[in-house]
């Protein structure tokens, strides 16, 4: 399965996918990395791994890509033969053009146990709210913000002495295991999606 990754920043989740694919733990290959930020470290990580990586300027319609720009993302992904699009810290709301081009084929990782704390700085939201357990979620992307069907979740405790940085680091350690696992389930066609419910079966399934 050919994977395209969209990122805006550090790219530690991209790195986890690169490492999993390189280590033979993913029956998939990362064929393209696109970023809306020219300074994204994700671009460097991709190039260091020999993966084509491009900055495509996002336009001025934050938090969305401009429609013409979204078309350009679609063209680039299609030209690379991408079958699954993984958002990895891509700080843009995905619009209809990308959703229509890759129906049920765009996934995201989010640093909370959705539906708690969607949107920005979810680890800070968890600290502010005072929850004792948070975590991370891999989900399909739909038109909402962090609202698509949930594929996998992992929990992380919130400790009394946590700072935003220590909590985020604990969540991200879980993310780096969870994202490759979710991609693997999709690559092995082991997911059955019924409405909002995503069931991971034992063996290969159609779709
Ligand atoms: C991750 O915490 C992810 O959950 C969120 O953005 C962050 C990206 O981190 N969507 P990185 O760029 O993968 O290091």
């Amino acid at each position: 399965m050919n994977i395209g990754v969209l990122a805006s920043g550090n790219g530690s989740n991209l790195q986890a996918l690169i490492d999993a694919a390189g280590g033979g733990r993913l029956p998939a290959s990362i064929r393209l990395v696109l970023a809306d930020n020219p300074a994204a470290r994700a671009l460097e990580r991709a190039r260091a791994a020999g993966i084509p990586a491009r900055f495509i300027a996002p336009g001025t319609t934050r938090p969305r890509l401009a429609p013409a720009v979204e078309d350009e993302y679609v063209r680039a992904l299609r030209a690379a033969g991408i079958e699954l699009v993984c958002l990895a810290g891509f700080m843009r709301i995905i619009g209809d053009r990308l959703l229509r081009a890759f129906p049920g084929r765009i996934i995201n990782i989010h640093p909370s146990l959705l539906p708690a704390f969607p949107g920005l700085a979810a680890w800070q939201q968890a600290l502010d709210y005072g929850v004792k357990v948070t975590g991370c979620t891999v989900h399909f992307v739909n038109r909402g913000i962090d609202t698509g069907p949930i594929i996998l979740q992992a929990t992380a405790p919130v400790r009394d002495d946590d700072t935003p940085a220590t909590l985020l680091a604990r969540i991200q350690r879980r993310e780096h295991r969870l994202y490759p696992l979710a991609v693997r389930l999709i690559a092995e066609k082991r997911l059955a999606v019924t409405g909002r419910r995503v069931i991971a079966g034992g063996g290969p399934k159609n779709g």
Side-chain angles (χ1 to χ4, degrees):
M1 194 180 61
N2 292 338
I3 297 176
V5 177
L6 271 50
S8 301
N10 179 22
S12 67
N13 280 284
L14 165 67
Q15 191 67 55
L17 292 173
I18 292 172
D19 293 347
R25 283 176 287 127
L26 267 190
S29 107
I30 303 167
R31 290 294 170 94
L32 182 65
V33 172
L34 298 177
D36 63 339
N37 164 18
R41 180 153 175 235
L43 290 170
E44 286 169 39
R45 292 181 189 265
R47 289 179 187 130
I51 299 166
R54 267 180 72 192
F55 158 64
I56 301 182
T60 55
T61 52
R62 189 180 286 277
R64 294 179 180 276
L65 297 170
V69 173
E70 198 161 296
D71 285 339
E72 210 180 327
Y73 276 74
V74 169
R75 275 196 298 278
L77 292 163
R78 282 196 170 137
I82 298 305
E83 299 166 281
L84 177 71
V85 179
C86 298
L87 309 183
F90 189 61
M91 303 304 285
R92 300 275 165 178
I93 298 171
I94 300 301
D96 285 340
R97 288 165 150 87
L98 269 162
L99 289 170
R100 274 199 303 267
F102 296 94
R105 294 264 138 196
I106 306 179
I107 64 175
N108 180 42
I109 185 152
H110 181 77
S112 76
L113 294 175
L114 291 170
F117 314 131
L120 296 175
W123 65 94
Q124 182 71 59
Q125 294 186 54
L127 273 180
D128 292 346
Y129 199 93
V131 294
K132 304 298 184 194
V133 177
T134 184
C136 52
T137 302
V138 180
H139 63 92
F140 287 106
V141 173
N142 64 11
R143 296 186 72 184
I145 299 176
D146 303 323
T147 54
I150 290 170
I151 301 169
L152 290 175
Q153 293 186 303
T155 60
V158 180
R159 306 215 189 276
D160 293 343
D161 59 353
D162 264 332
T163 63
T166 59
L167 180 57
L168 177 60
R170 189 174 309 118
I171 293 169
Q172 288 201 328
R173 282 196 294 277
R174 271 107 178 135
E175 290 188 336
H176 300 158
R177 287 196 298 267
L178 201 68
Y179 215 6
L181 194 56
V183 170
R184 183 169 165 188
L185 290 173
I186 294 171
E188 292 178 345
K189 300 193 189 317
R190 282 163 60 186
L191 294 186
V193 185
T194 312
R196 284 205 57 86
R197 301 205 61 197
V198 182
I199 311 293
K205 285 204 175 77
N206 291 330

